[in-house]
Structure formats: structure tokens, C-alpha cells
Amino acid sequence: MTAQLIDGNALSKQLRAEVAQRAATLRARGITPGLAVVQVGENPASQVYVRNKVKACEDNGLHSVLEHYPATLPEADLLARIDALNKNPAIHGVLVQLPLPPHIDAQKVIQAISPAKDVDGFHVASAGALMVGLPGFRPCTPYGCMKMLESLNAGKGYDLRGKHAVVIGRSNIVGKPLALMLLQKNATVTICHSATQNLKAMTLQADVIVAAVGKRNVLTADMVKPGAVVIDVGMNRNDEGKLCGDVDFEGVRQVAGYITPVPGGVGPMTITMLLVNTLEAAERS
Ligand code: GUN
């Protein structure tokens, strides 16, 4: 069997067109959805992410403001900026790009963002809302993974009810929230660590496998049940310096039923869901 590709670029294009249309409707009512992106320091990966987020806003009719501060910015000054953005009616979403310099307490900053503008979905109020099934912003990467599952079977969606999903990786921004979203769809969910003993015994039982570790070849073909759906959240570089995921793509695609590529899989979906969250923040305002 050769897996069908889940094309994150194509799905993103479709979802971004819907965002652009809804943004135009809002603009006609005098509301331009606005995102503030705050970057502190010069982390090279952050530079790329931030640029892509701002461009995605521009391309789809959202207003965006990039506030870029030197790495020496005092924590109190950053908190004051967050407070000002919370109060700014032209800004519907506030995103502080991570990582922050070590002298700044990232949690303190995230918790200072108004939950109504928390389009990253990192605030405890957003995490709590997801936990108890209340409306709130969902973190963009796991939200994008769910949208990819919804796109399967010609848009009818992959029925998770009674299925076993194994999530490898337990971060607050991917593994944990994704597990909750899968549970909401009545899947059985196992959350693993990359060091989980006999990880293969877990993944071989799985109908859906999500790899979100940040390490190459965490998932190889011998670990995958034939026909399983494989979602690769990893962003790594191989020996030739080329972008690759956590999954041994060439091996696993011979066994899986569906697989997301890297690049062109989950990556573009993350920014797309940020646009969706920002639009919804503006629609609720
Ligand atoms: N750094 C890496 N990924 C992310 C993300 O999704 N949001 C923010 N704010 N920072 C990040």
C-alpha cells in the first residue's frame, strides 16, 4: 500500500480563501480583523515564522502589526505593551512569538494576554475551556491537525469514534491539547513520550498516529499498522540540511493509509488556524 498524501498546502489554500471571504464581510461592516505579533530578540527561526504570519494576514485581508523589540527589553516593558494591545480596539488577536529571552518569564507574559485576544490558545483560560468543552481559542498546530483529519474522505472527515489515536509528544502547545481534541471526537487516546518503553507496541495498535517530538525518525515503517493515518508535526533538518519531520516518510508511506508530508503538511496549517482564530476573535468583538 502507498499512503495518500494529506496536502496541507491545498487545504490551507481552501481555508484561507474562506478566511479572506469572511474578513471581507467584516470589513464591509467597518471591522478589519487585526493581529499584533510581538517578537523579542533575533531568534532566526522566529524571524521566519513572524514574517510568514504577517504576510499571511496581508494576503487574506487581515490587518497586522509587528512589534519587534531588542533581546534586552525588560519584562515589565513587554507586559506594558501587552496591556496596551489588550486595550487597543483595532487589535483582535495578540501573539507573542516564543521563545522569549531567558530574563523574561514566558508564562507571565502569556497569562497577561487577554483571553479574548489569545489567538495562540496558550492562556490557561483557553486551555481550561478546551479541557471542559467550552468555546475558546484552540492552539493552532493541534487545531490544524484536527482540520486535516476532517478533510479526509473527500471532506466527509475521518470518523474518530472508537478509534485509537497515539500522540507522541506531550507539549502544552501540541500533544496535550491535541489529545483533548481527539477525546472530544470519542477517540481512545494514548499520549506517549519519545522515551516510552516499547513505543512500537503502542503505535502498532493505533489507527491514528501523531508524531510531535522534534526528532527525526521517531516513527518508522515497522511501528505502523497498515492503513493508519500518520500526522507529522516535526520540523527538523536532515544530514543534507533539508527540512524533514519526525516520521521516516519514505518508509512509513509504504504502510500508512494517509500521511502528511514535511514540508507542506502541518506547517502551513498552523498559520492558517492562526488566521481563523484572529478572524473569529474579530467576529466575536
Ligand atoms: N514558537 C514556535 N511555535 C510557536 C507558536 O505556535 N506560537 C508562538 N507564539 N510561538 C511559537
Side-chain angles (χ1 to χ4, degrees), residues 37-38 45-46 49 53 94-99 110 120 122 139-141 173-174 270 274:
V37 179
V38 181
S46 291
Y49 290 138
K53 287 170 187 179
V94 177
L95 180 151
V96 178
Q97 188 65 29
L98 302 177
I110 290 166
D120 245 341
F122 294 172
C140 302
T141 299
I173 63 176
V174 183
T270 296
L274 173 67

Side-chain angles (χ1 to χ4, degrees), residues 172-183:
N172 289 335
I173 63 176
V174 183
K176 284 189 236 174
L178 180 58
L180 291 170
M181 293 178 204
L182 292 161
L183 283 171

Side-chain angles (χ1 to χ4, degrees), residues 96-226:
V96 178
Q97 188 65 29
L98 302 177
L100 288 168
H103 68 279
I104 296 178
D105 179 347
Q107 274 304 331
K108 200 163 161 187
V109 173
I110 290 166
Q111 304 314 327
I113 296 170
S114 162
K117 298 190 178 188
D118 176 37
V119 289
D120 245 341
F122 294 172
H123 195 284
V124 287
S126 304
L130 175 61
M131 178 79 188
V132 300
L134 284 171
F137 293 112
R138 298 166 184 207
C140 302
T141 299
Y143 193 9
C145 294
M146 294 304 288
K147 284 284 172 195
M148 291 180 116
L149 289 171
E150 276 176 33
S151 77
L152 300 187
N153 296 318
K156 288 200 291 284
Y158 179 87
D159 187 6
L160 284 158
R161 185 180 173 80
K163 298 285 176 31
H164 187 183
V166 168
V167 179
I168 316 170
R170 314 158 304 156
S171 76
N172 289 335
I173 63 176
V174 183
K176 284 189 236 174
L178 180 58
L180 291 170
M181 293 178 204
L182 292 161
L183 283 171
Q184 264 176 5
K185 300 287 180 187
N186 301 316
T188 300
V189 183
T190 303
I191 313 182
C192 297
H193 188 275
S194 58
T196 293
Q197 286 184 17
N198 209 354
L199 183 62
K200 180 175 168 179
M202 301 287 177
T203 58
L204 274 174
Q205 293 178 33
D207 303 295
V208 175
I209 307 171
V210 181
V213 175
K215 205 165 81 185
R216 282 163 61 194
N217 297 327
V218 163
L219 191 75
T220 48
D222 58 309
M223 299 167 74
V224 177
K225 180 165 82 172

